[in-house]
Amino acid sequence: MVSVVSSRVAAPDTPAPDPRRRGSIARGRRRLGIAYATPMAVLVAVFFVVPLGLMLWMSVNHWPLVGASAPNGVENFAALSDPLFLRAVGFTLKYTAVTTVVLGLVAFGLALLVQHDRPGSGFVRTVFFLPSAVGLASTSLLFYGLFTTDSSALNQVLGFLGLGRVDWLGSGGSALGSTVAMITWRFAGFYMLILMTGLQSIDPELYEAARIDGANRRQILWRVTLPLLRPTLALAMVLSLTGSLLAFDQFFILTGGRHDTATVVIDIYREAFLSQDLGRAAAVSVATLAVLIVLNFAQLRLIRREGR
């Protein structure tokens, strides 16, 4: 009788790494990490932390554009009760609400249109995204020509249709509508890409299951697409709200703040360079920053809660 005994070959014992060698490797990695992070930390310190500290210091000082500064406590924050500032806050909130709704709906419609990979869909996405490559100041100058000159293509089309010339920037309402249209043209492609990414991340099997259960397109949109797209919508809303609350270029170039179209940032500009009071401008900036921090913190919490 032959017995077969299976035997395992024991692996040779690997020597434990030398503690001093392990410590040397860890220190080397730590120094390498510090070397990688240092340039960015310096940039953040120079271009964000130092200006932020200077702004906080200026907000509690009488700081004329030309001349010596002197501490004055919270006196500069009286600018927050100025009628011109309150009017600017009201207009900024109205502009933010209108822009967020219009831009969100247009971008969502474009994202639904181009979310699937079909022949030519890449070209269409590129065409929709192209306006985002143009700077906002350049876009504002381009539309200023379209809105204010009789020989512009826009007014010529209206003349051809027999509608006559329209004063696009002649009143607060028309200036607001014209600016929202320009911003929608400029940013719709950018937000389309964000929303399209969210749409493409939804599992197609969920749509198939909903169709098998007899759901129509409207029910699929409300019961499947929008709930699963909520984190992406929240991210788009954070970007849209922040950009709208800090609106400056478009109204500074198109209207210069006329017809009660001055935003909060234009009011800060006026305090700093027309009234030549950097302290009051810094106080308004601090209040605006605090509002943005609270707003973005609340929306980021919403994104994290929905992502769980």
Side-chain angles (χ1 to χ4, degrees):
M1 182 175 180
V2 178
S3 63
V4 179
V5 179
S6 61
S7 62
R8 295 182 179 177
V9 179
D13 294 336
T14 54
D18 185 3
R20 286 183 294 182
R21 179 177 169 76
R22 279 191 304 182
S24 176
I25 293 174
R27 285 193 296 274
R29 289 178 177 174
R30 194 178 303 119
R31 284 195 291 268
L32 186 62
I34 292 173
Y36 281 140
T38 297
M40 183 54 68
V42 171
L43 289 176
V44 171
V46 172
F47 293 108
F48 180 73
V49 177
V50 173
L52 179 62
L54 180 61
M55 182 185 71
L56 294 173
W57 176 246
M58 291 171 68
S59 68
V60 292
N61 282 270
H62 173 63
W63 200 303
L65 188 61
V66 179
S69 62
N72 65 350
V74 294
E75 186 178 327
N76 290 328
F77 288 89
L80 300 179
S81 59
D82 188 280
L84 287 178
F85 172 74
L86 296 177
R87 203 177 302 166
V89 170
F91 177 75
T92 302
L93 292 177
K94 183 165 68 172
Y95 166 74
T96 300
V98 175
T99 302
T100 301
V101 172
V102 174
L103 183 57
L105 289 176
V106 172
F108 186 62
L110 294 178
L112 289 174
L113 188 66
V114 301
Q115 62 172 317
H116 299 296
D117 291 327
R118 301 189 181 99
S121 60
F123 174 76
V124 176
R125 291 170 190 164
T126 304
V127 170
F128 288 151
F129 182 74
L130 270 180
S132 301
V134 184
L136 183 54
S138 301
T139 303
S140 301
L141 288 172
L142 170 66
F143 275 78
Y144 182 80
L146 289 175
F147 289 147
T148 57
T149 56
D150 293 334
S151 59
S152 71
L154 187 59
N155 282 324
Q156 284 188 351
V157 169
L158 293 178
F160 177 78
L161 296 175
L163 299 178
R165 184 180 183 277
V166 175
D167 193 358
W168 300 98
L169 306 175
S171 66
S174 61
L176 175 63
S178 302
T179 307
V180 170
M182 183 196 75
I183 291 297
T184 303
W185 178 85
R186 167 66 174 74
F187 287 100
F190 174 73
Y191 288 102
M192 174 200 73
L193 283 186
I194 295 176
L195 296 175
M196 186 185 71
T197 305
L199 288 172
Q200 291 178 339
S201 66
I202 299 175
D203 191 349
E205 292 183 358
L206 295 175
Y207 291 120
E208 189 63 30
R211 292 190 193 95
I212 292 173
D213 290 341
N216 56 33
R217 290 187 176 182
R218 183 179 177 185
Q219 290 171 327
I220 291 175
L221 177 66
W222 284 101
R223 302 295 177 86
V224 178
T225 303
L226 290 180
L228 294 176
L229 196 63
R230 204 171 295 169
T232 309
L233 289 172
L235 173 63
M237 191 174 293
V238 168
L239 298 175
S240 178
L241 286 178
T242 304
S244 300
L245 291 173
L246 296 177
F248 175 77
D249 304 45
Q250 54 270 48
F251 288 105
F252 188 78
I253 292 175
L254 292 178
T255 67
R258 296 185 298 275
H259 310 303
D260 288 335
T261 57
T263 61
V264 171
V265 182
I266 288 180
D267 186 72
I268 294 172
Y269 170 83
R270 286 174 172 174
E271 291 283 2
F273 299 106
L274 298 184
S275 301
Q276 299 186 0
D277 193 335
L278 297 182
R280 284 171 64 93
V284 176
S285 300
V286 169
T288 305
L289 177 64
V291 171
L292 288 175
I293 289 175
V294 172
L295 190 61
N296 284 293
F297 180 75
Q299 291 184 324
L300 288 175
R301 284 199 57 151
L302 175 65
I303 293 175
R304 289 177 181 172
R305 191 179 66 181
E306 296 297 336
R308 291 174 184 169

